[in-house]
Amino acid sequence: MSDPTEANGTAGAAEAAEPAKAAGDGTGGRHVRVVLVDDHRMFRTGVQAEIGRTEETGVEVVGEAADVDQAVTVINATRPEVVLLDVHLPGGGGVEVLRRCAALMADSERPVRFLALSVSDAAEDVIGVIRGGARGYVTKTITGTDLVDSVFRVQEGDAVFSPRLAGFVLDAFASTDAPPVDEDLDRLTQREREVLRLIARGYAYKEIAKQLFISVKTVESHVSAVLRKLQLSNRHELTRWATARRLV
C-alpha cells in the first residue's frame, strides 16, 4: 500500500514559484529545492536525514511522494529545481513521471530537472529514464556527500551518472538501431525484473528482501510469478535464462 503524499509545508503554486532564499553558513551560498519520489517510506526518511539538513548541505526537501500520481501532484505544486526519482514506482514507474512532467522539464526559465536514484543498475532502466528526460542516474549505494554534489550538478544542468552506468548511455545513444523487443521480459513487472536479477546474482531471499525493503514473503511471491510467466521450474533455470539475456 502506497504511502500518503508528504509535501513539507503545503505551499501553494504562488509560494512555490518564489525564488529560493539563500542558504545558511557552511553551504557556500548554494541552495536547491528537492522533491523525493520513492515508494519506500524508510528510504525517503533516510535520504531526508542524510541530505536534507539545509543549513549544512544547502538542500531543502520541499516534498515527498510514493507513487506516480502523488509525484506529479507534488512536483507541480512545489516546482522544485531537482527531483530525486526512483525508477520503479506504483502507477507506471519513473518513466511515467517523466512523461507527465515533460512540460516542466522544458520550461526555459525554471526547469524541473530529474536525477534517478535507484537500487537497479540494469541497462534498460538507465536508458529508459535518460530517454525520458532525466539528467542523470545514480544507484542507492551512493554516499550522502556524493548525492548532495550530484543534486547540485544536475541543478546546474550537468549530466551525472554512477561510474559504471555512463557506459550504458554512451552505447545506447551511439547506436541508431532500436533495441530488440524481448516479449518474455516484457511480461514481467519492473519489481519482478529487480527480483529476477538479484536471484540470478545468487542473493538469498532474505538478502533480496533487505535490499528492496520488502518482506521475504513478497520476494517469494515475485519469484513464483517470474517462474510462472517465463515457464521455468526453479531458480537455476531462472539464472540461466537471465544470464543468456545479459541481465545479471
Side-chain angles (χ1 to χ4, degrees):
M1 181 174 175
S2 298
D3 296 333
T5 304
E6 297 179 47
N8 294 347
T10 54
E15 284 184 279
E18 292 179 358
K21 296 179 180 178
D25 294 338
T27 67
R30 300 191 305 174
H31 184 272
V32 60
R33 300 170 69 255
V34 172
V35 163
L36 305 178
V37 180
D38 193 287
D39 61 339
H40 296 107
R41 178 189 289 272
M42 287 180 61
F43 181 75
R44 296 199 312 272
T45 300
V47 173
Q48 165 78 287
E50 185 71 24
I51 73 172
R53 304 182 304 276
T54 309
E55 292 185 358
E56 299 175 25
T57 65
V59 177
E60 179 187 2
V61 177
V62 297
E64 300 180 14
D67 60 33
V68 170
D69 288 340
Q70 291 176 10
V72 173
T73 298
V74 173
I75 292 166
N76 275 282
T78 59
R79 290 298 296 266
E81 281 95 29
V82 177
V83 177
L84 285 175
L85 180 68
D86 193 11
V87 175
H88 302 144
L89 294 167
V95 172
E96 178 64 12
V97 175
L98 291 165
R99 186 187 70 80
R100 291 168 60 179
C101 292
L104 298 180
M105 288 188 284
D107 187 326
S108 60
E109 295 185 2
R110 298 182 61 245
V112 176
R113 296 188 169 107
F114 288 79
L115 174 61
L117 176 61
S118 176
V119 69
S120 171
D121 60 2
E124 64 265 30
D125 288 336
V126 179
I127 294 165
V129 295
I130 298 305
R131 288 192 188 279
R135 295 293 304 174
Y137 194 117
V138 294
T139 61
K140 291 181 177 179
T141 57
I142 192 170
T143 66
T145 300
D146 286 344
L147 182 56
V148 169
D149 180 64
S150 297
V151 166
F152 278 107
R153 288 175 60 193
V154 166
Q155 180 196 28
E156 294 163 1
D158 290 345
V160 180
F161 297 93
S162 291
R164 70 179 296 268
L165 305 185
F168 296 156
V169 179
L170 291 173
D171 291 344
F173 286 89
S175 173
T176 57
D177 298 326
V181 175
D182 189 327
E183 294 183 358
D184 289 332
L185 190 61
D186 283 349
R187 294 192 185 100
L188 306 182
T189 65
Q190 292 288 355
R191 180 63 85 191
E192 288 168 353
R193 294 184 192 188
E194 273 189 321
V195 172
L196 163 66
R197 291 188 193 94
L198 293 174
I199 285 288
R201 291 173 183 175
Y203 284 77
Y205 285 2
K206 287 184 178 179
E207 294 172 322
I208 296 172
K210 183 177 180 180
Q211 185 160 340
L212 299 183
F213 299 97
I214 58 179
S215 68
V216 173
K217 185 175 181 180
T218 300
V219 175
E220 293 172 348
S221 297
H222 285 314
V223 172
S224 296
V226 170
L227 293 174
R228 183 180 68 255
K229 291 179 180 180
L230 300 181
Q231 298 183 350
L232 301 174
S233 300
N234 52 56
R235 65 181 296 164
H236 300 295
E237 290 184 2
L238 187 153
T239 299
R240 288 196 295 270
W241 187 94
T243 302
R245 286 164 174 77
R246 299 181 180 180
L247 299 177
V248 181

